[in-house]
Amino acid sequence: MHTVVVGTSGTTASDVLAVARGGARVELSEEAVAALAAAREIVDALAAKPDPVYGVSTGFGALATRHISPELRAQLQRNIVRSHAAGMGPAVEREVVRALMFLRLKTVCSGHTGVRPEVAQTMADLLNAGITPVVHEYGSLGCSGDLAPLSHCALALMGEGDAEGPDGVVRPAAELLAAHGIQPVELREKEGLALLNGTDGMLGMLVMALADLDTLYRSADVTAALSLEALLGTDKVLAPELHAIRPHPGQTASAANMLAVLKGSGLTGHHQDDAPRVQDAYSVRCAPQVAGAGRDTMAHARLVADRELASAVDNPVVLPDGRVESNGNFHGAPVAYVLDFLAIAAADLGSIAERRTDRLLDKNRSHGLPPFLADDAGVDSGLMIAQYTQAALVSELKRLAVPASADSIPSSAMQEDHVSMGWSAARKLRTAVDNLTRVIAIEFYAAARAVELREGLTPAPATRAAIDAAREAGVEGAGPDRFLAPDLAAADAFVRDGRLLAAVEKVTGPLQ
C-alpha cells in the first residue's frame, strides 16, 4: 500500500488524495517527530510560568480572560473538545473526514502547534486503522478553523463519540480504538485547541473538488465537440491563431482539446449545406471561452490550495524563536473565496452545456435532426424530459453559485465577529460538482444519439471511440422510448469514473 510521509513543510494535493480517497498509510518523518518534541518543550516551559498564555493557561474565545490553574488544565483541554463537538445533521463523506484529519496532522507536524509527538502518532494510527470519526454537515463557520468538524475528530482521539470502522459500521470510538490496539490520548496544555484550529475541512474539499473538476472540464470539451458535430457546426472557430490573439491559457487549452477531438470529422463544415448559416450559436462557438474561463479559475484556486497546503494554521502558534503568539491565520477567507468562485464557474459550464442539449432537441434549431431525437416523434417523446432534468440541475447549480463567503454571522459573544463560511462554501461546491457531472452526462447522452442519427456522415475517430465505449458500457443509443432513468444513470457513471475521457484520449492522446 502507498505510504505518505508527513514532514514539517506541508504536503501536496496528491498526498491528500492518496490518503482521503486511496487509503494510503501515513507515517511521521523523523524531522517531524523532532519538531513536535522541540515545540512541546516550549509549551511546557510556558505552562510552568505564572504568566497567562492564551490556549496554554487561559480559557478560549470570549473566555480567554480567565487564567486556568495547573490542576484544571487537562480538564480544560478535554472540555474544549467535548463542548465544540456540537455538529448536527447528516454525517459527511468518509473521504472528507480523512482529508480533514490528514491536513490537521500536517499542521501538527509543522512544529508550530506544541502538540506532543504521541498525539500526532495517534492521529496517524486512526487514519491507518481506517477509523473515521463521525463529522456532521453543520457546525463550522469557517473561522477559528472548522471547529465543530475538527472537534468530532479530536473527540475520537480521546476515545469518545462515534466513528466508522474500516467495515463501514458506526460504533463508539472507544470500541474501535480498543479493537485496533490504539490507546486514547490524554490531552495536555494547548493540545485540545491545537486539534481544532484549522481550515482543514474546507481545504480538503477544495483539493478534491479541483481533482474532480480537472476531469470534468476535459470531459466538457469532449461533449462540446460532440455537440458541435451533431449540429453540423464549423471547427474553424477553434483555430489556434484565433485564440492566440486573446491569450487566456484556459481558452487556448479548451479550443485545442476540442480541435483534437474533432480531428478527421466528416460532420463539421456542413453549416453552408441545406440551411446556410454564417456562424454557430454562442453555446457552440463560445464553448472554449466559457470552459477556458473556468479552467483559469481552477488555476487560481489551485494556487491558493497549494499555498494553504504549505501553511501551518493554528492559534496560538509556536515560533522558532520560542514565542507563542496569537494570530488570525485560521480565518478561512482565502479558501472560501475560491470555493465560491469555482461554484460560479461550474454553474456557467453547466448552463452552456444545457443550451447545447436544448438546441440538439429543437427541430427548428438542430439542422435536420428529429424533434427531441425521438424515434417516432409524437408517439415517442425522445429526450424531452432528459433536458428537463438537465435544466433542473442547471437551475440548482445557479442557486449553489450564490457565494457563502459574502455572508458573515458573529459568534462567541462578538469576539469572533467576522467569519468566512468556508465550510459552507465547500459543502455546496461538492454538490455543484456532483450536479455538473450529471449535466455533462446528459449532454453526452443527447449528442451521442444525435451523431448516430446523422446517417451518411462519419464522426471523428475520437468521438466515434467515445460513443462505442459508451455503448459497450451499457449506455443505450437511439430507438423507441424506454425507461430513461437507467440510461442516464449509465451515462453519468461513464462520465463520472473517467471512462469517457479515457476512450477519447486513446485516440487523441492526453487532453490539456
Side-chain angles (χ1 to χ4, degrees):
M1 183 181 291
H2 179 58
T3 298
V4 171
V5 178
V6 185
T8 60
S9 56
T11 190
T12 65
S14 60
D15 283 345
V16 175
L17 294 169
V19 174
R21 291 179 165 173
R25 288 187 57 79
V26 177
E27 292 182 2
L28 310 186
S29 71
E30 292 182 6
E31 176 192 28
V33 173
L36 284 159
R40 186 64 209 179
E41 288 181 6
I42 294 171
V43 170
D44 285 341
L46 289 171
K49 293 181 177 180
D51 302 327
V53 177
Y54 178 70
V56 176
S57 54
T58 71
F60 309 112
L63 303 176
T65 54
R66 178 176 172 183
H67 183 257
I68 308 299
S69 59
E71 66 273 11
L72 294 176
R73 290 176 189 170
Q75 181 181 339
L76 170 69
Q77 300 301 320
R78 288 194 301 272
N79 285 351
I80 189 175
V81 172
R82 290 168 175 165
S83 64
H84 285 46
M88 293 185 73
V92 302
E93 303 83 359
R94 178 184 178 90
E95 66 177 16
V96 171
V97 181
R98 285 185 62 82
L100 175 79
M101 293 169 67
F102 174 69
L103 288 169
R104 182 77 321 226
L105 177 59
K106 174 267 298 183
T107 282
V108 164
C109 287
S110 69
H112 291 293
T113 67
V115 169
R116 288 170 294 150
E118 52 264 43
V119 176
Q121 184 57 57
T122 304
M123 296 170 75
D125 290 343
L126 257 69
L127 285 166
N128 293 338
I131 298 172
T132 308
V134 174
V135 172
H136 299 278
E137 180 79 22
Y138 304 106
S140 174
L141 299 178
C143 200
S144 288
D146 290 316
L147 285 174
L150 283 163
S151 295
H152 282 277
C153 293
L155 198 67
L157 289 175
M158 294 164 48
E160 300 181 19
D162 292 326
E164 179 185 310
D167 58 0
V169 177
V170 174
R171 298 186 179 90
E175 289 183 14
L176 286 167
L177 267 62
H180 289 84
I182 300 172
Q183 188 70 26
V185 298
E186 292 282 346
L187 298 177
R188 288 170 47 182
E189 291 92 345
K190 194 185 179 299
E191 290 180 334
L193 186 61
L195 295 176
L196 316 185
N197 247 317
T199 55
D200 309 293
M202 63 184 91
L203 175 59
M205 286 186 274
L206 173 59
V207 169
M208 289 186 284
L210 284 168
D212 294 337
L213 286 169
D214 181 65
T215 298
L216 265 184
Y217 269 84
R218 286 181 288 152
S219 300
D221 291 339
V222 172
T223 60
L226 197 56
S227 290
L228 185 150
E229 274 195 308
L231 291 166
L232 303 179
T234 177
D235 59 359
K236 290 183 178 180
V237 296
L238 304 173
E241 57 269 26
L242 292 175
H243 298 279
I245 61 176
R246 195 190 191 196
H248 292 286
Q251 175 182 325
T252 300
S254 184
N257 285 347
M258 289 182 66
L259 203 57
V261 172
L262 292 169
K263 185 177 180 181
S265 174
L267 283 158
T268 58
H270 292 275
H271 56 292
Q272 295 292 331
D273 289 355
D274 297 332
R277 57 192 190 276
V278 175
Q279 54 192 6
D280 292 317
Y282 282 14
S283 60
V284 178
R285 187 170 17 127
C286 302
Q289 285 77 8
V290 172
R295 287 168 172 273
D296 291 341
T297 300
M298 286 173 59
H300 171 62
R302 196 170 285 113
L303 175 64
V304 171
D306 287 344
R307 288 171 176 165
E308 197 76 358
L309 287 168
S311 301
V313 179
D314 192 17
N315 179 51
V317 292
V318 181
L319 295 173
D321 61 7
R323 286 180 295 150
V324 176
E325 296 285 2
S326 291
N327 66 91
N329 285 342
F330 49 73
H331 199 288
V335 182
Y337 292 168
V338 294
L339 288 162
D340 280 333
F341 203 172
L342 289 172
I344 291 169
D348 204 34
L349 185 64
S351 180
I352 197 170
E354 184 276 330
R355 287 294 79 205
R356 291 190 294 264
T357 304
D358 184 65
R359 185 166 290 272
L360 290 167
L361 305 189
D362 184 351
K363 69 180 181 65
N364 297 311
R365 295 179 291 141
S366 67
H367 310 292
L369 290 168
F372 302 105
L373 306 181
D375 186 63
D376 183 4
V379 174
D380 294 309
S381 294
L383 303 189
M384 179 191 294
I385 308 305
Q387 185 269 330
Y388 281 37
T389 299
Q390 193 185 41
L393 289 162
V394 169
S395 188
E396 178 71 7
L397 281 169
K398 293 173 183 177
R399 289 190 290 272
L400 292 166
V402 176
S405 59
D407 186 29
S408 177
I409 189 165
S411 57
S412 192
M414 294 300 287
Q415 176 71 7
E416 298 168 12
D417 57 353
H418 184 275
V419 297
S420 78
M421 302 307 296
W423 174 272
S424 299
R427 294 306 296 165
K428 70 182 183 65
L429 177 59
R430 282 182 70 85
T431 303
V433 171
D434 201 32
N435 285 348
L436 177 61
T437 307
R438 297 184 177 104
V439 170
I440 298 302
I442 292 173
E443 182 184 14
F444 171 73
Y445 186 76
R449 177 182 285 203
V451 164
E452 289 184 318
L453 291 171
R454 294 290 189 188
E455 295 181 1
L457 296 173
T458 305
T463 53
R464 181 73 264 171
I467 295 170
D468 289 346
R471 301 296 175 248
E472 290 174 11
V475 182
E476 299 293 338
D481 280 358
R482 56 183 174 269
F483 182 21
L484 199 54
D487 278 9
L488 299 182
D492 175 50
F494 186 67
V495 172
R496 190 176 297 271
D497 63 18
R499 282 176 289 167
L500 168 62
L501 198 56
V504 168
E505 290 184 332
K506 284 182 181 178
V507 178
T508 62
L511 297 180
Q512 300 179 49

PDB file of all heavy atoms in Angstrom, residues 404-421:
ATOM      1  N   ALA A 404     -21.210  31.769  -0.439  1.00  0.00           N
ATOM      2  CA  ALA A 404     -21.312  31.665   1.018  1.00  0.00           C
ATOM      3  C   ALA A 404     -20.375  32.659   1.690  1.00  0.00           C
ATOM      4  O   ALA A 404     -20.666  33.179   2.775  1.00  0.00           O
ATOM      5  CB  ALA A 404     -20.981  30.247   1.468  1.00  0.00           C
ATOM      6  N   SER A 405     -19.233  32.941   1.047  1.00  0.00           N
ATOM      7  CA  SER A 405     -18.210  33.790   1.671  1.00  0.00           C
ATOM      8  C   SER A 405     -18.623  35.254   1.755  1.00  0.00           C
ATOM      9  O   SER A 405     -17.970  36.032   2.448  1.00  0.00           O
ATOM     10  CB  SER A 405     -16.893  33.674   0.891  1.00  0.00           C
ATOM     11  OG  SER A 405     -17.072  34.058  -0.461  1.00  0.00           O
ATOM     12  N   ALA A 406     -19.692  35.634   1.053  1.00  0.00           N
ATOM     13  CA  ALA A 406     -20.182  37.009   1.164  1.00  0.00           C
ATOM     14  C   ALA A 406     -21.003  37.206   2.433  1.00  0.00           C
ATOM     15  O   ALA A 406     -21.387  38.327   2.766  1.00  0.00           O
ATOM     16  CB  ALA A 406     -21.020  37.367  -0.064  1.00  0.00           C
ATOM     17  N   ASP A 407     -21.257  36.126   3.127  1.00  0.00           N
ATOM     18  CA  ASP A 407     -22.028  36.173   4.363  1.00  0.00           C
ATOM     19  C   ASP A 407     -21.083  36.111   5.554  1.00  0.00           C
ATOM     20  O   ASP A 407     -19.959  35.632   5.460  1.00  0.00           O
ATOM     21  CB  ASP A 407     -22.997  34.990   4.413  1.00  0.00           C
ATOM     22  CG  ASP A 407     -23.935  35.059   5.598  1.00  0.00           C
ATOM     23  OD1 ASP A 407     -24.231  36.175   6.044  1.00  0.00           O
ATOM     24  OD2 ASP A 407     -24.373  34.001   6.071  1.00  0.00           O
ATOM     25  N   SER A 408     -21.518  36.640   6.654  1.00  0.00           N
ATOM     26  CA  SER A 408     -20.800  36.505   7.920  1.00  0.00           C
ATOM     27  C   SER A 408     -21.820  36.639   9.029  1.00  0.00           C
ATOM     28  O   SER A 408     -22.778  37.416   8.907  1.00  0.00           O
ATOM     29  CB  SER A 408     -19.721  37.582   8.067  1.00  0.00           C
ATOM     30  OG  SER A 408     -19.092  37.473   9.334  1.00  0.00           O
ATOM     31  N   ILE A 409     -21.641  35.859  10.075  1.00  0.00           N
ATOM     32  CA  ILE A 409     -22.549  35.945  11.213  1.00  0.00           C
ATOM     33  C   ILE A 409     -21.714  35.901  12.490  1.00  0.00           C
ATOM     34  O   ILE A 409     -20.866  35.012  12.644  1.00  0.00           O
ATOM     35  CB  ILE A 409     -23.602  34.812  11.158  1.00  0.00           C
ATOM     36  CG1 ILE A 409     -24.685  35.015  12.208  1.00  0.00           C
ATOM     37  CG2 ILE A 409     -22.973  33.437  11.255  1.00  0.00           C
ATOM     38  CD1 ILE A 409     -25.925  34.158  11.961  1.00  0.00           C
ATOM     39  N   PRO A 410     -21.844  36.875  13.370  1.00  0.00           N
ATOM     40  CA  PRO A 410     -20.960  36.944  14.540  1.00  0.00           C
ATOM     41  C   PRO A 410     -21.235  35.835  15.544  1.00  0.00           C
ATOM     42  O   PRO A 410     -22.352  35.339  15.666  1.00  0.00           O
ATOM     43  CB  PRO A 410     -21.253  38.324  15.135  1.00  0.00           C
ATOM     44  CG  PRO A 410     -22.622  38.665  14.651  1.00  0.00           C
ATOM     45  CD  PRO A 410     -22.766  38.024  13.304  1.00  0.00           C
ATOM     46  N   SER A 411     -20.178  35.448  16.270  1.00  0.00           N
ATOM     47  CA  SER A 411     -20.288  34.381  17.260  1.00  0.00           C
ATOM     48  C   SER A 411     -19.361  34.672  18.434  1.00  0.00           C
ATOM     49  O   SER A 411     -18.602  35.645  18.420  1.00  0.00           O
ATOM     50  CB  SER A 411     -19.926  33.030  16.617  1.00  0.00           C
ATOM     51  OG  SER A 411     -18.629  33.078  16.063  1.00  0.00           O
ATOM     52  N   SER A 412     -19.427  33.809  19.452  1.00  0.00           N
ATOM     53  CA  SER A 412     -18.581  33.891  20.640  1.00  0.00           C
ATOM     54  C   SER A 412     -18.638  35.270  21.286  1.00  0.00           C
ATOM     55  O   SER A 412     -17.613  35.901  21.562  1.00  0.00           O
ATOM     56  CB  SER A 412     -17.124  33.531  20.289  1.00  0.00           C
ATOM     57  OG  SER A 412     -16.373  33.349  21.464  1.00  0.00           O
ATOM     58  N   ALA A 413     -19.863  35.720  21.565  1.00  0.00           N
ATOM     59  CA  ALA A 413     -20.087  36.993  22.257  1.00  0.00           C
ATOM     60  C   ALA A 413     -19.354  38.147  21.572  1.00  0.00           C
ATOM     61  O   ALA A 413     -18.757  39.004  22.219  1.00  0.00           O
ATOM     62  CB  ALA A 413     -19.675  36.883  23.730  1.00  0.00           C
ATOM     63  N   MET A 414     -19.386  38.133  20.220  1.00  0.00           N
ATOM     64  CA  MET A 414     -18.793  39.173  19.371  1.00  0.00           C
ATOM     65  C   MET A 414     -17.270  39.157  19.352  1.00  0.00           C
ATOM     66  O   MET A 414     -16.650  40.034  18.752  1.00  0.00           O
ATOM     67  CB  MET A 414     -19.304  40.566  19.746  1.00  0.00           C
ATOM     68  CG  MET A 414     -20.784  40.766  19.485  1.00  0.00           C
ATOM     69  SD  MET A 414     -21.248  40.555  17.743  1.00  0.00           S
ATOM     70  CE  MET A 414     -20.570  42.055  17.039  1.00  0.00           C
ATOM     71  N   GLN A 415     -16.636  38.158  19.986  1.00  0.00           N
ATOM     72  CA  GLN A 415     -15.195  38.031  19.853  1.00  0.00           C
ATOM     73  C   GLN A 415     -14.846  37.567  18.438  1.00  0.00           C
ATOM     74  O   GLN A 415     -13.918  38.068  17.817  1.00  0.00           O
ATOM     75  CB  GLN A 415     -14.659  37.026  20.889  1.00  0.00           C
ATOM     76  CG  GLN A 415     -13.160  36.743  20.783  1.00  0.00           C
ATOM     77  CD  GLN A 415     -12.294  37.908  21.229  1.00  0.00           C
ATOM     78  OE1 GLN A 415     -12.794  38.899  21.743  1.00  0.00           O
ATOM     79  NE2 GLN A 415     -10.992  37.805  21.008  1.00  0.00           N
ATOM     80  N   GLU A 416     -15.606  36.619  17.944  1.00  0.00           N
ATOM     81  CA  GLU A 416     -15.429  36.125  16.581  1.00  0.00           C
ATOM     82  C   GLU A 416     -16.525  36.760  15.725  1.00  0.00           C
ATOM     83  O   GLU A 416     -17.529  36.139  15.374  1.00  0.00           O
ATOM     84  CB  GLU A 416     -15.481  34.598  16.582  1.00  0.00           C
ATOM     85  CG  GLU A 416     -14.342  34.021  17.424  1.00  0.00           C
ATOM     86  CD  GLU A 416     -14.479  32.540  17.727  1.00  0.00           C
ATOM     87  OE1 GLU A 416     -15.330  31.875  17.122  1.00  0.00           O
ATOM     88  OE2 GLU A 416     -13.711  32.054  18.590  1.00  0.00           O
ATOM     89  N   ASP A 417     -16.316  38.050  15.415  1.00  0.00           N
ATOM     90  CA  ASP A 417     -17.389  38.852  14.829  1.00  0.00           C
ATOM     91  C   ASP A 417     -17.346  38.927  13.306  1.00  0.00           C
ATOM     92  O   ASP A 417     -18.151  39.623  12.696  1.00  0.00           O
ATOM     93  CB  ASP A 417     -17.375  40.268  15.420  1.00  0.00           C
ATOM     94  CG  ASP A 417     -16.045  40.983  15.224  1.00  0.00           C
ATOM     95  OD1 ASP A 417     -15.085  40.346  14.752  1.00  0.00           O
ATOM     96  OD2 ASP A 417     -15.980  42.189  15.535  1.00  0.00           O
ATOM     97  N   HIS A 418     -16.404  38.211  12.685  1.00  0.00           N
ATOM     98  CA  HIS A 418     -16.397  38.118  11.225  1.00  0.00           C
ATOM     99  C   HIS A 418     -15.868  36.751  10.839  1.00  0.00           C
ATOM    100  O   HIS A 418     -14.716  36.412  11.136  1.00  0.00           O
ATOM    101  CB  HIS A 418     -15.535  39.220  10.596  1.00  0.00           C
ATOM    102  CG  HIS A 418     -15.604  39.201   9.095  1.00  0.00           C
ATOM    103  ND1 HIS A 418     -14.810  38.387   8.322  1.00  0.00           N
ATOM    104  CD2 HIS A 418     -16.413  39.874   8.236  1.00  0.00           C
ATOM    105  CE1 HIS A 418     -15.109  38.563   7.040  1.00  0.00           C
ATOM    106  NE2 HIS A 418     -16.080  39.454   6.968  1.00  0.00           N
ATOM    107  N   VAL A 419     -16.704  35.965  10.176  1.00  0.00           N
ATOM    108  CA  VAL A 419     -16.351  34.593   9.847  1.00  0.00           C
ATOM    109  C   VAL A 419     -16.419  34.377   8.337  1.00  0.00           C
ATOM    110  O   VAL A 419     -17.031  35.147   7.613  1.00  0.00           O
ATOM    111  CB  VAL A 419     -17.276  33.595  10.584  1.00  0.00           C
ATOM    112  CG1 VAL A 419     -17.094  33.722  12.087  1.00  0.00           C
ATOM    113  CG2 VAL A 419     -18.733  33.809  10.195  1.00  0.00           C
ATOM    114  N   SER A 420     -15.773  33.295   7.869  1.00  0.00           N
ATOM    115  CA  SER A 420     -15.605  33.104   6.419  1.00  0.00           C
ATOM    116  C   SER A 420     -16.695  32.281   5.757  1.00  0.00           C
ATOM    117  O   SER A 420     -16.896  32.372   4.548  1.00  0.00           O
ATOM    118  CB  SER A 420     -14.258  32.417   6.151  1.00  0.00           C
ATOM    119  OG  SER A 420     -14.330  31.022   6.429  1.00  0.00           O
ATOM    120  N   MET A 421     -17.361  31.421   6.502  1.00  0.00           N
ATOM    121  CA  MET A 421     -18.339  30.474   5.963  1.00  0.00           C
ATOM    122  C   MET A 421     -17.712  29.549   4.907  1.00  0.00           C
ATOM    123  O   MET A 421     -18.377  29.061   3.997  1.00  0.00           O
ATOM    124  CB  MET A 421     -19.562  31.202   5.379  1.00  0.00           C
ATOM    125  CG  MET A 421     -20.284  32.100   6.373  1.00  0.00           C
ATOM    126  SD  MET A 421     -20.760  31.280   7.921  1.00  0.00           S
ATOM    127  CE  MET A 421     -21.917  30.061   7.340  1.00  0.00           C
TER     128      MET A 421
END
